[in-house]
Amino acid sequence: MGTDVEVEPGALLVAAPQLLDKNFRRAVVYVIHHRAEGTLGVVLNRPSEVAVEEVLPKWAEHAIEPRSLFVGGPVEQRTAICLATLRAGERADAIEGMVGVRGPVGLVDLDGDPNALVPKTRGLRFFAGYAGWDAGQLAGEIERGDWHVVPALPDDVIADQGQELWSKVLRRQGPPLAFLATHPGDVKLN
């Protein structure tokens, strides 16, 4: 696979060029949970046309640009998920209404008070739905070569990269994965 990174919270799953499933073509998935029962993550590079304001009005002004919901994945698309990247020195486990994922990235309780949380963050990203794999399913897809597991940077969660994030993440891995970043077939996804 070109990397020794394990699937764990805070890792990225980067779709291989040959993965053509419309939900995951050129996707960059941030892993939130990884347990024996399965894996859950959100696609970082699929902004939608739906404004955060339409779904989560009390949080909208705090969303990082673009202020739209991102399509987190094909599962439970009526479920809203928020990831935050914290400011230096802040810890997710010390902030009410937040659960740490890895390092300065955490899951936000959307029933909480945005005004208490926002000053401690560098950015909030909102997702509709998520990507999920049952026990053993993701391991099989990785073994088949559908996904490359690479380390995430905290800024990946809040990057305004859209489809460029896929190439950017691959490029920073160095060879041989970096060569995939120029794989033909870059098409604008809807």
Side-chain angles (χ1 to χ4, degrees), residues 66-172:
R67 288 193 164 127
S68 63
L69 279 174
F70 278 56
V71 179
V75 183
E76 292 190 33
Q77 290 194 325
R78 291 181 145 337
T79 300
I81 294 173
C82 176
L83 287 176
T85 297
L86 296 172
R87 294 186 183 282
E90 298 288 351
R91 289 188 6 251
D93 61 357
I95 300 173
E96 188 174 335
M98 196 163 181
V99 176
V101 175
R102 182 176 200 121
V105 176
L107 270 172
V108 175
D109 176 359
L110 293 171
D111 292 327
D113 176 10
N115 297 318
L117 175 74
V118 169
K120 299 175 182 192
T121 69
R122 290 194 303 121
L124 300 173
R125 175 76 74 221
F126 298 85
F127 302 89
Y130 59 88
W133 292 266
D134 290 331
Q137 184 182 4
L138 180 59
E141 291 180 15
I142 291 169
E143 196 173 297
R144 194 170 61 220
D146 290 348
W147 297 100
H148 300 285
V149 185
V150 303
L153 298 177
D155 282 354
D156 292 336
V157 172
I158 57 173
D160 179 13
Q161 300 287 327
Q163 286 306 301
E164 296 80 44
L165 185 62
W166 183 83
S167 296
K168 183 179 174 190
V169 168
L170 285 171
R171 265 190 219 101
R172 74 175 186 233

Side-chain angles (χ1 to χ4, degrees), residues 2 9 14 17 25 33 40 46 56 58-60 70 90 112 115 117 135 138 146 148 159 162 180 188:
V14 181
R25 188 168 189 285
H33 294 296
L40 180 146
R46 295 275 197 283
L56 300 163
K58 80 175 185 180
W59 290 93
F70 278 56
E90 298 288 351
N115 297 318
L117 175 74
L138 180 59
D146 290 348
H148 300 285
L180 296 178
K188 191 115 179 111

